[in-house]
């Protein structure tokens, strides 16, 4: 490429190059999406739910920063949280169900709309990697329970007791408490990690992984492994993921809803807000029902919204590393 041509292309920016690539694609998204090409388009960027997202983003960034794929970034990123024994809501060290069993849900989705998920998986530390194997090695989208574990072991994953002494203690304490009769959602027992990344090719991928609602009924599966609820990616538009009370997210197909609202022209923030408002409308009693969404558009624009205050997400890109408080409709 001549220097002159190079300068011209550079001035257009990576976003310009990729926008023209996208604009030639025959898709329904191109008409209603507003032009936001003034944004830092297609520069790699990663966002994750809650403050545990900061560490996870660091791992994801190591991949994005050297031109790696968003898919690798989100898998490697959320594995950090899954393997963190001090985290009480994801993977190893996650709080168990009513019977004292740690049961895990996870899913992953890439820019080609390929996806994989595991639900009600036990004794495997990194369910997100099993979900990726489901996506890549099987004709299925989701494996659950014993079948998911059998598949994981066949794929070379090792069994591990995920109930740490600290989590066991907390569960024993809960068994003796009043809470056992009236389980309530709070920020301590609900904290999925959901991660969305866009790489230097403008490809978006997402991952979502959790030990779910602490002290849930044995067998309960939340939104996190359900494509369209806990996570949804459509590379023509963007991606979204959810955290909070999974039952509420599933009822409005939350992450899919956010992406479809972006397709209609809403910004990630506006789309998350409308999804949250829909959840509020669908509940006669919204008291204590916390849900938060994060979203990224194909331009790399990010946003979030939650039912109640207190939700935040971590952002990392070339220029920024910060924790952002989500706006909420209600206050605790
Ligand atoms: N959404 C998850 C579930 O309901 C929990 C969470 O986000 O903390 O299983």
């Amino acid at each position: 490429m001549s220097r002159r041509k190079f300068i011209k292309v550079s001035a257009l920016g990576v976003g310009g190059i990729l926008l023209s690539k996208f604009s030639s694609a025959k898709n329904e998204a191109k008409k209603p999406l507003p032009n936001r090409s003034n944004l830092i388009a297609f520069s790699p960027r990663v966002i994750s739910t809650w403050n545990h997202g900061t560490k996870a983003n660091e791992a994801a960034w190591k991949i994005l920063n050297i031109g790696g794929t968003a898919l690798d970034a989100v898998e490697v990123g959320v594995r950090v949280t899954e393997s963190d024994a001090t985290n009480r809501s994801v993977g190893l060290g996650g709080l168990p169900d009513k019977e004292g069993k740690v049961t895990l849900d996870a899913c992953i989705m890439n820019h080609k709309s390929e996806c994989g998920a595991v639900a009600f998986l036990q004794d495997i530390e990194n369910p997100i990697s099993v979900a990726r194997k489901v996506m890549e090695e099987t004709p299925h989208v989701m494996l659950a329970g014993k079948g998911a574990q059998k598949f994981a072991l066949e794929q070379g994953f090792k069994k591990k007791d995920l109930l740490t002494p600290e989590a066991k203690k907390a569960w024993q304490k809960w068994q003796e408490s009043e809470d056992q009769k009236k389980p309530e959602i709070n920020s301590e027992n609900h904290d999925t990690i959901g991660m969305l990344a866009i790489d230097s090719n403008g490809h978006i991928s997402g991952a979502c992984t959790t030990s779910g609602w602490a002290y849930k009924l044995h067998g309960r599966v939340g939104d996190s492994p359900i494509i369209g609820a806990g996570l949804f990616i459509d590379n023509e538009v963007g991606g979204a993921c959810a955290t909070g009370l999974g039952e509420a997210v599933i009822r409005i197909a939350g992450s899919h809803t956010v992406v479809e609202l972006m397709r209609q022209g809403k910004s990630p923030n506006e789309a998350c807000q409308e999804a949250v408002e829909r959840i509020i409308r669908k509940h006669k009693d919204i008291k204590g029902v916390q849900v938060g969404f994060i979203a990224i558009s194909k331009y790399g624009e990010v946003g979030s919204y939650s039912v109640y205050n207190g939700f935040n997400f971590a952002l990392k890109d070339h220029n920024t590393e910060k924790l952002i408080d989500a706006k909420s409709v209600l206050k605790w």
Side-chain angles (χ1 to χ4, degrees):
M1 189 187 295
S2 70
R3 182 171 152 76
R4 209 186 144 94
K5 193 166 170 204
F6 175 74
I7 290 168
K8 211 170 146 194
V9 169
S10 301
L12 247 182
V14 186
I17 298 166
L18 286 157
L19 275 176
S20 56
K21 191 163 118 192
F22 273 104
S23 59
S24 66
K26 283 184 189 146
N27 63 60
E28 58 189 71
K30 66 180 177 182
K31 274 186 237 157
L33 273 179
N35 184 358
R36 297 203 186 89
S37 49
N38 57 330
L39 295 163
I40 331 152
F42 305 119
S43 180
R45 175 171 260 201
V46 57
I47 54 171
S48 304
T49 54
W50 303 108
N51 42 8
H52 51 215
T54 305
K55 260 199 195 167
N57 283 358
E58 268 171 36
W61 186 251
K62 283 188 185 143
I63 291 173
L64 293 172
N65 196 30
I66 54 166
T69 67
L71 183 64
D72 286 342
V74 295
E75 182 193 1
V76 166
V78 302
R79 278 175 65 104
V80 170
T81 322
E82 288 181 337
S83 296
D84 179 356
T86 64
N87 184 300
R88 291 278 160 275
S89 50
V90 182
L92 176 68
L95 290 170
D97 65 13
K98 197 174 176 181
E99 297 180 11
K101 305 272 191 307
V102 181
T103 73
L104 306 176
D105 297 337
C107 73
I108 194 160
M109 189 163 191
N110 70 14
H111 67 286
K112 293 190 262 180
S113 295
E114 294 165 345
C115 45
V118 287
F120 192 51
L121 176 64
Q122 294 181 54
D123 301 321
I124 303 287
E125 185 173 328
N126 296 115
I128 199 65
S129 297
V130 187
R132 182 165 176 179
K133 288 283 184 199
V134 173
M135 174 175 99
E136 291 176 344
E137 307 293 336
T138 81
H140 309 303
V141 166
M142 185 188 285
L143 293 178
K146 285 204 172 109
Q149 192 192 66
K150 181 171 178 274
F151 170 75
L153 297 176
E154 283 164 6
Q155 290 292 322
F157 292 84
K158 298 276 173 274
K159 262 189 163 186
K160 181 165 181 169
D161 183 3
L162 303 177
L163 186 64
T164 57
E166 293 77 16
K168 191 174 176 182
K169 232 192 215 164
W171 168 66
Q172 283 165 340
K173 205 170 153 207
W174 170 81
Q175 279 185 308
E176 291 154 16
S177 74
E178 280 296 302
D179 289 358
Q180 196 191 349
K181 290 169 206 142
K182 201 172 124 281
E184 279 213 3
I185 317 305
N186 61 45
S187 58
E188 280 160 55
N189 66 19
H190 259 262
D191 278 357
T192 295
I193 179 141
M195 179 181 277
L196 302 165
I198 185 164
D199 62 30
S200 49
N201 286 314
H203 293 159
I204 299 172
S205 286
C208 187
T209 175
T210 190
S211 52
W213 185 344
Y215 319 130
K216 61 197 172 186
L217 287 181
H218 187 61
R220 182 263 190 188
V221 170
D223 60 315
S224 305
I226 299 176
I227 297 295
L231 172 71
F232 193 69
I233 306 291
D234 183 332
N235 214 64
E236 294 170 358
V237 179
C241 59
T243 178
L245 183 62
E247 283 74 359
V249 177
I250 294 170
R251 287 170 77 183
I252 66 147
S255 295
H256 180 260
T257 294
V258 172
V259 171
E260 291 309 305
L261 289 165
M262 289 197 287
R263 194 192 301 279
Q264 290 166 23
K266 296 208 181 295
S267 71
N269 230 43
E270 291 164 348
C272 292
Q273 178 178 0
E274 188 163 332
V276 161
E277 284 168 352
R278 194 174 298 177
I279 286 177
I280 294 171
R281 282 203 304 279
K282 300 288 174 199
H283 282 78
K284 265 196 203 133
D285 184 5
I286 196 69
K287 193 169 156 266
V289 177
Q290 172 66 315
V291 170
F293 291 105
I294 59 170
I296 190 164
S297 76
K298 70 174 187 173
Y299 303 109
E301 184 189 20
V302 300
S304 69
Y305 229 89
S306 56
V307 175
Y308 288 96
N309 58 315
F311 174 50
N312 56 14
F313 71 102
L315 162 72
K316 176 127 184 77
D317 60 23
H318 277 298
N319 312 306
T320 327
E321 177 166 10
K322 60 181 173 187
L323 211 50
I324 300 170
D325 286 330
K327 283 194 186 152
S328 69
V329 178
L330 305 171
K331 299 269 176 263
W332 284 111

